[in-house]
Amino acid sequence: DTEVTQTPKHLVMGMTNKKSLKCEQHMGHRAMYWYKQKAKKPPELMFVYSYEKLSINESVPSRFSPECPNSSLLNLHLHALQPEDSALYLCASSQVDGNQPQHFGDGTRLSIL
Amino acid sequence: SQQGEEDPQALSIQEGENATMNCSYKTSINNLQWYRQNSGRGLVHLILIRSNEREKHSGRLRVTLDTSKKSSSLLITASRAADTASYFCATDGSGGYQKVTFGIGTKLQVIP
């Protein structure tokens, strides 16, 4: 069992749908991350929140909209996605201080029809 | 790009043998981490080595770091079937501690 919980585990959506991915942690971490991972590839950083504020946006298209409503929750709102956005979306959390490991959830496998 | 490259990309060994994976990166780092990912699961942190450290051990894991060559190695001793997974190195850099870039990974298969 992981300490970072992601829901749903699987999501199939059409290109016109709006959906949200959710991530929750109760380790007291104040940094939270979204990654995208395509098959047989490494995770790619999308967004980082520190103290509930967006600190890094890796030039992600606006059809992905992150939100950090409190220190335990992280959402990723999806709208008008493209088939190439199909991937495993991973959430992670860590202490904000330097040199800290990241704790990952098991991800949401997203398929865009 | 800061992205590291693991070598080999795939490795198949017998249970009980040692497995060595290498990682090279391109720019200066504060620390380097190794993660494991089982199929269909999230990543699990294995070990972190700071840029001023040369070697670190954790159980059956041994990590070395050579900042002059911009390379690191992960040694798993006495491998087990349960070690079958993909292994990624991850580096930070000028973007700060939180801006972590993962290498392409090594897929390790341990045959019972």
Side-chain angles (χ1 to χ4, degrees):
Chain A
D1 289 341
T2 61
E3 297 168 314
V4 176
T5 304
Q6 290 188 242
T7 56
K9 293 190 185 307
H10 302 276
L11 179 62
V12 179
M13 57 186 287
M15 288 190 284
T16 59
N17 292 157
K18 285 186 181 181
K19 296 286 185 184
S20 297
L21 309 185
K22 298 186 182 302
C23 175
E24 188 170 7
Q25 57 89 15
H26 294 288
M27 293 178 282
H29 292 165
R30 300 302 294 277
M32 296 187 77
Y33 310 75
W34 281 115
Y35 289 88
K36 173 183 178 180
Q37 186 178 27
K38 301 283 278 185
K40 301 186 190 304
K41 298 289 187 182
E44 294 179 351
L45 184 65
M46 299 174 71
F47 303 104
V48 181
Y49 275 82
S50 291
Y51 298 109
E52 296 85 68
K53 290 190 183 345
L54 184 65
S55 58
I56 296 175
N57 176 344
E58 290 287 86
S59 302
V60 179
S62 60
R63 57 186 184 269
F64 294 91
S65 176
E67 178 195 19
C68 191
N70 61 56
S71 60
S72 299
L73 294 174
L74 184 66
N75 298 321
L76 186 62
H77 303 298
L78 314 173
H79 175 54
L81 295 194
Q82 303 298 310
E84 61 265 28
D85 296 322
S86 297
L88 181 67
Y89 288 84
L90 293 163
C91 173
S93 69
S94 75
Q95 302 283 4
V96 173
D97 297 339
N99 292 329
Q100 299 293 336
Q102 295 184 21
H103 298 252
F104 283 79
D106 282 338
T108 293
R109 188 160 299 280
L110 177 65
S111 298
I112 307 299
L113 301 179
Chain B
S1 164
Q2 170 71 358
Q3 188 173 56
E5 293 189 5
E6 275 89 339
D7 167 45
Q9 292 191 28
L11 180 60
S12 184
I13 59 174
Q14 296 288 331
E15 201 166 30
E17 294 181 338
N18 295 342
T20 299
M21 289 160 265
N22 302 298
C23 167
S24 60
Y25 56 92
K26 296 180 181 176
T27 64
S28 297
I29 60 171
N30 298 298
N31 67 71
L32 184 143
Q33 305 180 57
W34 285 90
Y35 288 82
R36 183 188 78 228
Q37 185 176 32
N38 290 85
S39 181
R41 302 296 301 273
L43 282 76
V44 174
H45 182 262
L46 297 176
I47 198 164
L48 181 151
I49 186 165
R50 291 178 169 75
S51 60
N52 61 355
E53 297 175 312
R54 292 296 167 258
E55 187 170 317
K56 203 161 182 180
H57 296 255
S58 177
R60 293 184 296 114
L61 306 180
R62 172 177 170 257
V63 168
T64 62
L65 179 64
D66 186 335
T67 53
S68 67
K69 295 181 180 178
K70 292 186 169 60
S71 68
S72 173
S73 68
L74 170 67
L75 169 67
I76 304 174
T77 60
S79 63
R80 304 166 182 169
D83 295 327
T84 294
S86 291
Y87 292 81
F88 296 95
C89 68
T91 53
D92 63 3
S94 59
Y97 295 114
Q98 294 171 348
K99 191 169 180 177
V100 169
T101 303
F102 286 85
I104 59 175
T106 293
K107 188 165 186 176
L108 173 66
Q109 181 184 26
V110 181
I111 302 168

